[in-house]
Amino acid sequence: MTKPILPGEVAAAVVNPAAYGAWKPLHEQLAWARANMPLAVAENPNHDPFWLVTRHADVMAISRDPQRFANGIRPTVLTDRAGEALARAATPGGDGHLVRSLVQMDAPDHMKYRLLTQSWFMPRNLKTIEDRIRQIARDTVEHMLEAGGSCDFARDVAAHYPLRVIMDILGVPPEDEPRMLMLTQQLFGPTDPELNRSREAITSSEQAIAMLHYVIADFEAYFGALTADRRANPREDIATVIANAMVDGEQIPDRELAGYYMIIATAGHDTTSASTAGAIMELARNPTLFQRFRDAESDKAGLIEEAIRWTTPVQHFMRSARQDVEMGGQTIREGDWLMLNYVSANRDEGVFVDPFMFDPDRAKNPQIAFGFGAHVCLGQHLARLEMRILMEELLPRLTSLELAGEPARVESVFVGGLKRLPIRFEAA
Ligand code: HEM
């Protein structure tokens, strides 16, 4: 059976950072794919072909089947052909993963490594650090209010709060946070000229990989020193857990060690910043919602879940088929590459009523922004907790909130979100 091939403009859009920056017409193109070709191949001149998975049910089915859909075989994030070849040339055994973290692992390694920190991220343990998070939220709000009646919420507030929380948990001192923020933005946004290391448009994968090498080397140097310190002076932080962890009776090898720190240090802040800023944007646009949620007694859970669906900060992950699989009337062949498009799955009209409406009162909100299955986001409870605490601390302190200019989104195919959110507010 021949594979269905997506129209060229749809295939081009899902690999184009600017399309994710603009959101339009990307959303229309994804809606078209869901309705007409929910499981079809995107062919682009610079990328190996891949299946674009746009429906919620298919993203779930693939995510819950790691035996047949692996993370470790091909890049887990969309990479063009030249970039993959360079990465393969630059990595041990040619596996092509510049970083080997939980995300790049499959069974049996994946669970062994995940279990080292999983209990840290469970609600029961998070309760023990809730007061620390609330203090960081209070400091963040004070800082915002002191600065006067307007700010760029994305840059001045949302970018810092989740970073401070994750650095606190990890054990990185506050003076090193600016460096971590810069490195993360360079790691996730190498294609956005406003955020990347060279501050120039990246036109080739050689440039992108060269830049990433520097970024990764900086991370490795930093966490190498942290490991040495925590082996000598253990503390109550995640760095101590990672530095002293044993897998199969041995200390974690250097590459996996660096990968572990990097995934914890990076996965948790740009993402949570994006969903937090997205929530504030919708409240600034809708005075009725703002009034409702600034009431200290209001339940924020629906707002938070909807902001996560609405923003879908992680826009895709890739999987590779380990064997032939029949799915949705198609045959996916062993070795085929697939893009789980969470942006699309979270606007699936078959699952969400009025998916293009921001509605904190959805009776059901099975948003899939945290993924699903074996790799489901380790930090999902932390992300929700951070958002709730910030909303609890911030909203009752404001009497008005409105947009003060045009918001702008990051140009990136992987982690997206607002890079600018100008707001005006009055403090209570
Ligand atoms: C709104 C915020 C966040 C979003 C949207 C998000 C999204 C995701 C997604 C889509 C995945 C992949 C899931 C899959 O493959 O099925 C993931 C994995 C992961 N996330 Fe998050 N995340 C967020 C916040 C966090 C936070 C706060 C942390 C804290 C450390 C974190 C740590 C991780 C880790 C370690 C993984 C890898 C898990 C594995 O492969 O086993 N994330 N996240």
Side-chain angles (χ1 to χ4, degrees):
M1 194 170 48
T2 54
K3 294 175 178 175
I5 307 295
L6 286 161
E9 66 272 18
V10 179
V14 293
V15 302
N16 180 4
Y20 289 84
W23 267 27
K24 268 179 166 263
L26 178 72
H27 272 302
E28 285 83 349
Q29 290 163 325
L30 292 171
W32 182 91
R34 285 193 298 276
N36 300 290
M37 297 180 98
L39 202 51
V41 173
E43 289 185 339
N44 284 292
N46 299 328
H47 295 83
D48 272 357
F50 57 85
W51 292 89
L52 175 67
V53 186
T54 48
R55 280 193 186 158
H56 190 279
D58 292 335
V59 171
M60 290 266 278
I62 293 169
S63 303
R64 63 152 60 104
D65 193 354
Q67 275 72 33
R68 295 196 295 174
F69 296 103
N71 278 37
I73 300 174
R74 301 282 306 272
T76 51
V77 171
L78 184 77
T79 309
D80 66 17
R81 210 175 277 127
E84 188 177 349
L86 284 169
R88 285 194 185 279
T91 42
D95 71 12
H97 301 305
L98 293 174
V99 174
R100 187 164 189 256
S101 75
L102 292 180
V103 169
Q104 287 76 24
M105 291 180 187
D106 291 309
D109 282 2
H110 174 249
M111 242 341 125
K112 291 180 192 167
Y113 280 85
R114 187 168 162 122
L115 288 175
L116 298 175
T117 56
Q118 186 162 266
S119 56
W120 250 93
F121 290 96
M122 287 298 136
R124 187 201 299 216
N125 184 59
L126 295 178
K127 271 201 178 328
T128 67
I129 57 165
E130 201 171 316
D131 288 349
R132 263 155 65 195
I133 299 178
R134 194 168 295 279
Q135 193 51 52
I136 296 173
R138 282 188 184 146
D139 294 347
T140 305
V141 171
E142 287 310 327
H143 191 71
M144 171 179 160
L145 299 185
E146 273 164 23
S150 65
C151 68
D152 179 340
F153 187 86
R155 190 195 60 197
D156 304 335
V157 183
H160 301 285
Y161 164 64
L163 177 73
R164 293 203 52 204
V165 172
I166 201 71
M167 291 300 133
D168 187 85
I169 293 175
L170 194 52
V172 170
E175 61 272 19
D176 294 340
E177 284 168 17
R179 184 165 163 200
M180 286 295 129
L181 177 62
M182 190 186 68
L183 287 174
T184 307
Q185 290 180 336
Q186 291 172 349
L187 189 73
F188 286 167
T191 44
D192 190 315
E194 285 186 26
L195 301 179
N196 71 27
R197 199 176 181 103
S198 66
R199 295 283 188 272
E200 284 170 11
I202 295 298
T203 49
S204 74
S205 43
E206 281 86 349
Q207 276 174 302
I209 296 270
M211 217 162 53
L212 286 177
H213 261 298
Y214 284 115
V215 175
I216 292 167
D218 277 2
F219 268 118
E220 286 178 352
Y222 185 84
F223 288 122
L226 194 65
T227 300
D229 180 70
R230 293 307 195 271
R231 284 182 180 160
N233 314 297
R235 295 193 203 171
E236 290 291 312
D237 56 27
I238 292 197
T240 302
V241 177
I242 299 173
N244 296 288
M246 307 285 269
V247 169
D248 296 334
E250 313 241 347
Q251 269 181 345
I252 305 181
D254 286 349
R255 184 175 180 222
E256 283 72 11
L257 197 65
Y260 217 129
Y261 287 116
M262 278 176 66
I263 188 73
I264 302 283
T266 59
H269 54 91
D270 269 15
T271 48
T272 314
S273 305
S275 51
T276 304
I280 292 296
M281 179 173 73
E282 292 312 316
L283 296 179
R285 280 181 169 156
N286 187 330
T288 314
L289 276 189
F290 168 65
Q291 289 305 335
R292 174 176 148 198
F293 285 110
R294 65 177 290 276
D295 175 356
E297 300 304 310
S298 63
D299 181 359
K300 312 279 191 293
L303 171 68
I304 285 158
E305 220 52 25
E306 182 66 345
I308 293 167
R309 180 189 78 88
W310 192 243
T311 52
T312 310
V314 174
Q315 300 175 139
H316 81 272
F317 263 117
M318 307 296 288
R319 295 287 194 271
S320 312
R322 272 186 209 281
Q323 61 186 77
D324 291 0
V325 180
E326 298 294 327
M327 197 173 190
Q330 311 296 339
T331 306
I332 296 165
R333 294 278 174 211
E334 179 182 349
D336 282 359
W337 208 24
L338 303 99
M339 174 188 268
L340 306 183
N341 196 296
Y342 303 118
V343 175
S344 174
N346 271 342
R347 295 285 193 281
D348 187 333
E349 2 340 69
V351 175
F352 302 99
V353 179
D354 281 338
F356 289 91
M357 200 171 99
F358 183 85
D359 178 7
D361 295 316
R362 291 182 180 282
K364 269 182 29 211
N365 189 350
Q367 56 81 12
I368 195 171
F370 292 120
F372 196 78
H375 288 273
V376 69
C377 178
L378 191 60
Q380 59 170 317
H381 306 297
L382 175 62
R384 290 189 180 99
L385 180 67
E386 284 178 52
M387 289 177 72
R388 173 170 65 75
I389 291 178
L390 187 73
M391 296 300 150
E392 286 170 358
E393 294 298 325
L394 172 61
L395 298 179
R397 302 284 308 273
L398 304 178
T399 51
S400 73
L401 173 67
E402 59 184 19
L403 289 182
E406 266 309 295
R409 290 176 45 80
V410 178
E411 292 185 9
S412 168
V413 174
F414 180 36
V415 176
L418 294 167
K419 61 181 172 186
R420 265 195 297 282
L421 179 60
I423 56 164
R424 239 187 321 269
F425 55 86
E426 285 166 337

